[in-house]
Amino acid sequence: MKIFILILTFLFPLIADEIIIDAQELIADEKSKVTQLRGNVQITRINDKLNCDEAYIFLDKNNKPNKMQALGNVKFWLTLENNRKIQGKANELIYFPNLQEYQIIGNAFVEEPAKKNEVKGEKIIIRYKEGYINIVGDNKAPARLIFKLDKEAKQ
């Protein structure tokens, strides 16, 4: 049970906000420092939301999350630090809090609805603090970026 409380405390970096986790089953193992959430997993924090079939939270020796993994029918809605909103879906999402890196894997799709920007690929890696994105395609489909050009004002 201590691990579950630590998860709520440290799920995302630098958070003092409330995190709500709903799942049909929660299995916390203090020895392996892995918590498994199964069945209709929903994680909510302020305006951020993640839905998936199953999730794992891996803790370091100080009981802080060093890796979070969401599997199966992954859908997410995030508000970035600059208030930009993105949403997406994939087969799997891995988050590394120390790097603030998201790896979106398998039929990966991310969009910024307000700007009509979209990226699609087999794997998308985002480090938004660094402004870094890497989109990887596969043999069946190339990496794809779609963005809207702002029209220049006529003078």
Side-chain angles (χ1 to χ4, degrees):
M1 195 54 154
K2 280 194 280 184
I3 286 180
F4 181 67
I5 292 168
L6 287 170
I7 289 166
L8 294 178
T9 307
F10 298 110
L11 190 57
F12 295 100
L14 305 172
I15 291 181
D17 305 311
E18 181 178 64
I19 297 169
I20 301 168
I21 300 174
D22 292 314
Q24 291 172 343
E25 183 176 13
L26 180 141
I27 303 166
D29 184 346
E30 269 189 73
K31 193 179 270 186
S32 69
K33 297 193 179 280
V34 176
T35 297
Q36 179 182 19
L37 305 158
R38 290 199 303 209
N40 196 25
V41 178
Q42 297 178 354
I43 301 172
T44 306
R45 181 188 74 83
I46 306 176
N47 296 321
D48 296 346
K49 188 171 181 177
L50 171 79
N51 295 343
C52 62
D53 295 334
E54 188 171 14
Y56 293 87
I57 301 166
F58 302 87
L59 303 176
D60 65 15
K61 63 182 179 183
N62 298 317
N63 289 323
K64 292 189 178 183
N66 60 10
K67 178 181 173 184
M68 293 169 233
Q69 180 180 31
L71 298 167
N73 298 310
V74 177
K75 294 180 180 150
F76 58 90
W77 300 264
L78 300 171
T79 302
L80 304 178
E81 287 183 353
N82 57 4
N83 284 326
R84 292 171 57 191
K85 295 184 185 309
I86 63 170
Q87 61 189 37
K89 59 184 178 177
N91 298 337
E92 178 180 6
L93 184 143
I94 301 172
Y95 177 62
F96 295 98
N98 297 337
L99 300 172
Q100 293 192 353
E101 175 181 287
Y102 293 90
Q103 294 185 5
I104 304 147
I105 304 165
N107 297 312
F109 174 78
V110 178
E111 69 177 331
E112 185 179 6
K115 294 189 175 194
K116 304 214 187 304
N117 295 335
E118 298 178 0
V119 291
K120 225 184 247 195
E122 191 53 32
K123 183 175 186 178
I124 301 170
I125 300 171
I126 300 172
R127 286 188 219 123
Y128 68 87
K129 276 212 171 213
E130 298 173 18
Y132 172 89
I133 187 165
N134 181 17
I135 309 161
V136 180
D138 64 11
N139 291 337
K140 296 177 188 172
R144 176 170 282 176
L145 170 64
I146 301 171
F147 58 95
K148 183 179 179 183
L149 296 173
D150 291 332
K151 293 182 181 181
E152 291 183 23
K154 293 183 181 182
Q155 302 211 7

